Amino acid sequence: MRSQLGSWIERGEMDDASWGELASLDPATGPEHFVGRVTWYKKSLPSILHRQPVSHQWPSEFVSLMGVPPLDCRNASERVEWSTDDLVCVYEPLTAGAVLGSETQWPHVFAVMKALAGRFGDDGVRLVVAFD
């Protein structure tokens, strides 16, 4: 299987991580180019979320809808929520813990990986992700 997927990995369309790598990940770790992420949705349609990473400038699509966010948002160490007429916005620092932590759906995947690693070893269990 690795030989079949090797070309995808070389092109950057697929990546993988062992359970040992995931288990040792510092939840405070963040990406170099982004400081947070902003999520917004209409109060009248909360099931459709819009989410974008925030670099040193707010995403233009977001600013055109919401205007300039509250001043202290970008320096927040925790989730900040605010709303306007029909929109609810949430800014959160972009960290491994925010993306993969207990408030997400990932703990279920990690529980299975941990159980399998107990049987096959940390390097014997890998999460493989493909981007199309």
Side-chain angles (χ1 to χ4, degrees):
M1 185 161 126
R2 282 183 187 234
S3 63
Q4 293 173 327
L5 300 176
S7 63
W8 285 33
I9 293 171
E10 288 172 13
R11 291 191 310 260
E13 296 171 353
M14 179 177 282
D15 204 353
D16 69 333
S18 72
W19 169 246
E21 292 169 319
L22 291 171
S24 66
L25 187 63
D26 178 1
T29 301
E32 292 178 25
H33 304 295
F34 298 104
V35 295
R37 70 176 171 186
V38 64
T39 305
W40 69 95
Y41 60 89
K42 290 185 176 186
K43 292 176 186 174
S44 59
L45 197 57
S47 61
I48 298 181
L49 297 176
H50 303 273
R51 182 173 282 162
Q52 285 190 313
V54 176
S55 60
H56 298 290
Q57 290 185 305
W58 287 93
S60 58
E61 177 186 358
F62 176 79
V63 173
S64 67
L65 282 172
M66 294 296 298
V68 178
L71 290 176
D72 291 339
C73 251
R74 190 181 302 242
N75 297 324
S77 59
E78 295 181 354
R79 175 184 167 108
V80 176
E81 186 172 320
W82 72 98
S83 61
T84 62
D85 297 333
D86 188 41
L87 293 173
V88 175
C89 302
V90 176
Y91 172 83
E92 56 192 334
L94 190 56
T95 63
V99 175
L100 304 173
S102 62
E103 300 295 318
T104 70
Q105 296 174 353
W106 285 104
H108 303 292
V109 174
F110 297 149
V112 172
M113 290 182 74
K114 182 178 181 179
L116 290 169
R119 178 168 178 154
F120 301 106
D122 286 356
D123 289 332
V125 179
R126 303 193 79 72
L127 178 64
V128 179
V129 181
F131 300 94
D132 187 10

